């Protein structure tokens, strides 16, 4: 019943967001229906486009799953973007230095990504628990530091032979690439997608069926009373940071070893911040993360077609995503307010 | 380092002049955010607000052919975004961090999407306006009074914010609603209404800072124009411990870093890419430093400096006030 009551305002909000998008396209003089159908065609129109969408889905799933953990602990992990970047840097380091066949290097890059992301998240965690720095600002600061390190590596120590440019490092040797599976004439990102889905499943089980998850949620709901009840609050917060950061770091691994095959300055692809939108829209629930993340990457991947075919800026996809989240939040809040009004009018005859 | 020959003196003069000019938009934005946060609301959307207002300011100034019109519209854009955050927090009880974050990304993309056709265009700019007599004072005149209205507005923003906070009754009320909203409410103050208007005021100042970027500092519109100015302004407010003078000091320090990075560009090629990162570790270090017991004792050692040395966030920041 509550689900049904939530569904109506959500659908109304989605429709309102779509209307907003159409109006925006009319403002810049673009054909709205052609543009919207290009979004669908650009993300699911052919085998290679579906493969590209699935490849983009994976890091978003990983980062979103990590955020579900930190949100459950009541943390605003804005540092997720930096954790993706540090995961990518650590994975790049392994891909560059570790010799041997793929079954050695690829797991190595995944492990390194997890460690890189976890270390960076723990830094924000210790700043919060021991340094009095709120995780929003500590995390935000560390995002920029991580981006600075990535840029420094690309134009400095890891620059391509001869030229120092911001276009990226040398391509990794092929053994370090995440393997693809050939079918229908294109390569399919089976390993990244499995990693992404496994991370969502892991988080779902962790929060639903374990003592750790139960205690984590209680720390998130009321950290002071959890502390009084004998839960080591700081340890749980740091645990959430480490786990969330590790998953975000693996998202970074996917970005370097399955997508770019090298380190570039903007390696995160904005998936960390996009994941925050996904989790906000999913209402912090792990089960809803997978379909919403797929919907959002479809918009992102599809919107690149707007640039190619209609000469529009591909930022339209980001506008649509933002408006959807904003309107759904507003729709829910309006519905809640109306419900409380009608309740109070019923109580007072 | 004291310049002896007149040529060196001129270089120092010009350097300080450009530091003051470079810091002006950052100062206006961070003063606006200081006012908002002092009242107990966090407007996290600064990066988006600044980009969207920079873009609309340029677009309007380009159409109308008048820079002032651009500033006016930019202030409205900034105020509108702030009003959405204030309303959704106060009226709809939504999390203001969440709404602010969504609006950040939304406004950034909206600016890129709508501003696409203005990239590379040339528009009007703010004319230079040396202040008569004052600009003739040796050194100080050149450094402080040979600028344009945006820079003078940044001086006014610092002075007026400080004076308002610590020397007027409404300023005291503003601090009250940010620290102890219940107590302020018990004294008959309309907490939520005031918070709404201070958030809108702060947002309008952020919008003006955005316009200052596209019509004065950088001239023109492109996506990377404002170089994280919004995030840096948020960092500055914390670095400055919510005190207008310390916030301004941070902004001038950053202005100095920017100018230094620009001048060292030829010697160390990477420096212009890495130095813009500097405010963020500095902010973190400053936060850890002011949290340390040693710094906390400073305020009690120097009671007269307590305001300036205090570094606590407004106690009720980011919370919703509801009367029971």
């Amino acid at each position: 019943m509550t689900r049904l009551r939530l569904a109506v305002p959500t659908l109304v909000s989605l429709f309102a967001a779509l209307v907003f998008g159409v109006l925006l396209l009319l403002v810049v003089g673009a054909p709205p229906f052609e543009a919207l159908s290009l979004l669908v065609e650009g993300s699911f129109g052919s085998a290679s486009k579906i493969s590209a969408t699935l490849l983009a889905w994976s890091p978003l799933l990983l980062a979103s799953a990590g955020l579900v953990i930190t949100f459950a602990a009541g943390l605003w992990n804005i540092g997720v973007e930096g954790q993706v970047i540090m995961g990518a840097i650590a994975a790049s380091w392994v891909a560059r230095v570790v010799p041997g066949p793929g079954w050695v290097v690829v797991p190595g890059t995944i492990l390194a990504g997890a460690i890189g992301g976890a270390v960076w998240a723990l830094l924000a965690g210790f700043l919060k628990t021991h340094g009095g720095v709120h995780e929003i600002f500590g995390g935000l600061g560390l995002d920029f530091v991580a981006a600075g390190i990535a840029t420094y590596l690309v134009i400095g120590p890891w620059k391509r032979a001869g030229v120092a440019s911001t276009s990226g490092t040398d391509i990794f040797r092929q053994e370090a690439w995440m393997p693809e599976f050939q079918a229908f004439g294109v390569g399919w990102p089976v390993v990244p997608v499995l990693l992404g889905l496994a991370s969502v499943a892991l988080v779902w089980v962790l929060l639903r069926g374990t003592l750790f998850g139960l205690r984590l949620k209680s720390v998130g709901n009321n950290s002071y009373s959890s502390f009084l009840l004998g839960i080591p609050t700081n340890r749980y917060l740091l645990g959430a940071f480490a786990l969330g950061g590790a998953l975000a770091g693996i998202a970074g691994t996917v970005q370097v070893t399955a997508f770019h095959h090298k380190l570039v300055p903007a390696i995160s692809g904005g998936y960390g911040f996009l994941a925050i939108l996904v989790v906000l829209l999913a209402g912090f629930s792990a089960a809803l993360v997978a379909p919403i993340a797929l919907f959002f990457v479809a918009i992102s991947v599809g919107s690149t077609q707007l640039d190619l075919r209609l000469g529009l800026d591909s930022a339209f996809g980001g506008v649509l995503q933002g408006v959807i989240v904003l309107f759904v939040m507003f729709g829910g809040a309006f519905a809640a307010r109306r419900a409380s009004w009608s309740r109070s009018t019923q109580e007072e005859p | 380092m004291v310049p002896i020959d007149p040529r060196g003196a001129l270089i120092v003069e010009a350097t300080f002049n450009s530091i003051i000019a470079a810091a002006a938009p950052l100062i206006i934005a961070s003063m606006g955010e200081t006012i908002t946060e002092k009242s107990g609301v966090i407007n996290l959307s600064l990066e988006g607000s600044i980009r969207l207002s920079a873009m609309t300011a340029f677009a309007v100034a380009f159409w109308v052919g008048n820079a002032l019109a651009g500033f006016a519209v930019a202030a409205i854009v900034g105020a509108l975004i702030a009003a959405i955050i204030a309303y959704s927090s106060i009226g709809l009880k939504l999390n203001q961090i969440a709404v602010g974050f969504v609006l950040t990304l939304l406004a950034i993309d909206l600016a890129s999407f709508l501003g696409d056709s203005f990239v590379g265009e040339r528009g009007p700019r703010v004319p230079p306006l040396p202040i008569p007599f004052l600009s003739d004072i040796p050194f100080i005149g050149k450094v402080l009074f040979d600028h344009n209205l945006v820079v003078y507005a940044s001086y006014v923003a610092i002075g007026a914010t400080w004076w308002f906070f610590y020397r007027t009754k409404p300023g005291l009320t503003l601090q009250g609603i940010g620290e102890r909203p219940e107590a302020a409410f018990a004294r008959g103050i309309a907490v939520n209404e005031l918070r709404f208007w201070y958030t809108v005021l702060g947002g309008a100042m952020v919008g003006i800072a955005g316009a200052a970027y596209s019509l004065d500092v950088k001239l023109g519109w492109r996506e990377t124009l404002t170089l994280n100015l919004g995030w840096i302004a948020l960092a500055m407010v914390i670095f400055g411990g919510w005190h207008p003078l310390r916030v301004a000091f941070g902004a001038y320090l950053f202005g100095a870093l920017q100018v230094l990075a620009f001048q060292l560009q030829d010697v160390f090629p990477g420096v212009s890419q890495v130095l813009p990162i500097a405010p963020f570790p500095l902010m973190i270090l400053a936060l850890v430093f002011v949290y340390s017991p040693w710094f906390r004792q400073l305020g009690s050692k120097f009671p007269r400096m307590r305001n300036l040395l205090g570094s606590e966030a407004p106690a009720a920041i980011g919370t919703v006030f509801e009367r029971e």
Side-chain angles (χ1 to χ4, degrees), chain A residues 20 24-25 27-28 76 78 127 130-133 136-138 140-142 144-145 148 151-152 155 166 273-274 276-277 280 311-313 315-316 318-319 322-323 325-326 329-330 333-334 337, chain B residues 37 42 44 84 87-88 91-95 97-99 101-103 105-106 108-114 116 223 228 231 234-235 238 269-270 273-274 277 280-281 283-284 287-289 291:
Chain A
F20 183 94
L24 201 61
L25 288 166
V27 165
V28 297
W76 269 95
I78 303 262
L127 281 170
H130 294 79
V133 183
I136 291 179
F137 298 108
L140 188 66
L142 291 171
F144 285 100
V145 175
T151 308
Y152 167 75
I155 61 174
T166 48
F273 283 167
L274 189 59
I276 296 180
L277 293 193
L280 285 176
L312 294 172
D313 195 289
F316 180 75
V319 175
V323 169
V325 178
L326 196 67
M329 282 166 77
F330 280 177
F334 276 125
R337 217 168 78 156
Chain B
E37 292 193 12
I42 298 179
L44 194 73
I84 296 176
Y87 173 70
S88 56
L92 297 176
K93 311 276 181 278
L94 285 168
N95 184 315
I97 298 291
V99 176
F101 186 79
V102 176
L103 281 170
L105 299 189
L106 176 56
I108 288 173
D109 283 328
L110 205 54
S112 303
F113 181 69
L114 292 175
D116 200 28
E223 275 170 34
N228 299 324
W231 295 124
L234 275 169
I238 302 165
Q273 257 123 346
V274 176
I277 311 293
F280 299 103
M283 167 192 75
I284 293 174
L287 281 174
V288 173
F289 176 66
Y291 184 74

Side-chain angles (χ1 to χ4, degrees), chain B residues 27-37 161 198 201-203 205-206:
Chain B
I27 282 181
I28 297 173
S30 44
M31 286 304 142
E33 182 68 11
T34 306
I35 294 171
T36 302
E37 292 193 12
T161 310
Y198 281 127
L201 172 68
M205 289 171 73
V206 170

